[in-house]
Amino acid sequence: MSAATQAPPEPTAPALEVRKPPTRKRLVPYWLLLPGILWLLVFFAAPLVYQASTSLQTGSLEEGFKVTWHIATYWDALGEYWPQFVRSVAFAAIATLLCLVLGYPLAYLIAFKAGRWRNVVMILVIAPFFTSFLIRTLAWKTILADGGPVVGVLNSLHILDVTSAIGLTEGTRVLATPLAVVCGLTYNFLPFMILPLYTCLERIDPRLHEAAGDLYAKPATTFRRVTFPLSMPGVVAGTLLTFIPAAGDYINAELLGSTDQKMIGNVIQSQFLRVLDYPTAAALSFILMAAILAMVTIYIRKSGTEDLV
């Protein structure tokens, strides 16, 4: 009786068939990536492979160069030009630190205090990019000229006595000294520090500062515990964008320095265009690239931003 009164089971709905998108639609993302991949292959990967093969060649310009897998070129180049490597890293590190010290307050001012003048200040920061890098560097030869007002003021304040004591200048002369090269690097790469810092600081919610004030935090404490930690991605990005090109730069050392301030970029340029020792120049380029890559990786991991790697 109970079986007769039991309701019949409901018909089960047919399983929905999952249809894959057509092959053409699935290939659309790869087609969009194709121009960028081709660009990297032609203008990055291919020259990199060519330089790698050049660094393993032996010969001369008259007889021609052949790939002989001469790895000793790397050791010879590093053993002969290691002072230029150390000098390049030192100059780039000092310039990066100065850019951070000078750029952070300006980026903070633009992000939080500039108000309606924000766009004007940003234009002033970007304006140097509208002038040639070479012209901007040549202008520093006039600024730091021996009889110029800058050197006169520094000399009257006895600042040059201090810089001479630590080896940054020579007597009352600033040009053709390490200080001149560092000043040129700092000026030319300062916008690369300011822009990432400003972008990161602008994203900080001002209500966090108000909350810190409500909790009786002093401005210095608010900056140390709230603002600076939240701006660390901008600090890391700015230091990388400044240090990497500064370490390989050669124009500032060529125009503002002397033979005693030559950086590794000057050596590579000379080996390629004057000495015509292509294997040594290529080996130096790869050593510089490997050294910068190692330092950048360690720096990023130590700064706690492994997600950028």
Side-chain angles (χ1 to χ4, degrees):
M1 185 68 180
S2 60
T5 58
Q6 186 176 3
E10 297 181 359
T12 57
L16 296 177
E17 183 180 356
V18 179
R19 296 183 178 180
K20 295 183 179 181
T23 305
R24 183 181 301 177
K25 291 185 177 180
R26 286 189 283 114
L27 293 178
V28 168
Y30 299 99
W31 285 111
L32 294 176
L33 289 174
L34 185 60
I37 295 175
L38 291 176
W39 180 275
L40 291 176
L41 289 176
V42 174
F43 296 103
F44 179 76
L48 201 63
V49 173
Y50 177 77
Q51 289 297 331
S53 66
T54 302
S55 66
L56 300 175
Q57 294 177 358
T58 55
S60 63
L61 191 64
E62 294 79 9
E63 300 175 357
F65 294 95
K66 296 181 180 180
V67 178
T68 57
W69 303 97
H70 192 256
I71 304 178
T73 303
Y74 285 86
W75 301 109
D76 297 339
L78 185 60
E80 184 175 357
Y81 298 109
W82 68 266
Q84 285 80 2
F85 274 107
V86 175
R87 188 179 300 121
S88 299
V89 173
F91 284 177
I94 296 173
T96 301
L97 181 61
L98 289 176
C99 286
L100 180 61
V101 173
L102 297 173
Y104 200 104
L106 181 57
Y108 186 93
L109 174 68
I110 299 173
F112 299 116
K113 306 296 183 181
R116 61 193 181 97
W117 297 100
R118 176 181 300 180
N119 294 333
V120 177
V121 181
M122 284 297 298
I123 292 175
L124 294 177
V125 172
I126 302 174
F129 285 123
F130 294 94
T131 307
S132 170
F133 188 92
L134 183 62
I135 295 176
R136 282 183 279 146
T137 307
L138 284 172
W140 275 87
K141 297 192 70 172
T142 304
I143 296 173
L144 300 178
D146 294 342
V150 174
V151 175
V153 172
L154 294 177
N155 194 26
S156 63
L157 296 176
H158 301 286
I159 296 178
L160 295 181
D161 296 336
V162 178
T163 56
S164 297
I166 60 179
L168 290 178
T169 56
E170 298 177 359
T172 59
R173 181 174 175 81
V174 177
L175 277 178
T177 64
L179 181 61
V181 179
V182 171
C183 287
L185 291 172
T186 303
Y187 168 75
N188 282 309
F189 295 108
L190 183 59
F192 292 96
M193 178 69 73
I194 296 175
L195 295 178
L197 286 173
Y198 163 73
T199 302
C200 192
L201 288 170
E202 188 187 25
R203 297 177 181 176
I204 299 177
D205 193 341
R207 291 176 295 182
L208 295 175
H209 297 161
E210 298 176 1
D214 293 339
L215 295 174
Y216 303 102
K218 297 181 180 179
T221 304
T222 302
F223 175 80
R224 181 172 56 89
R225 300 295 297 272
V226 178
T227 307
F228 189 75
L230 292 177
S231 65
M232 273 305 296
V235 173
V236 173
T239 50
L240 292 180
L241 290 176
T242 303
F243 177 81
I244 293 175
D249 181 76
Y250 69 93
I251 294 180
N252 288 275
E254 183 73 22
L255 299 179
L256 302 178
S258 65
T259 55
D260 296 331
Q261 286 84 46
K262 296 300 182 183
M263 300 171 64
I264 194 60
N266 301 99
V267 177
I268 295 174
Q269 185 262 355
S270 177
Q271 291 292 325
F272 264 123
L273 302 180
R274 297 178 186 175
V275 183
L276 304 180
D277 188 356
Y278 302 136
T280 301
L284 289 172
S285 301
F286 269 90
I287 294 173
L288 177 63
M289 182 178 62
I292 291 178
L293 183 61
M295 288 186 290
V296 166
T297 303
I298 295 173
Y299 169 69
I300 290 177
R301 295 189 180 278
K302 290 296 183 180
S303 63
T305 53
E306 293 87 349
D307 54 324
L308 296 178
V309 179

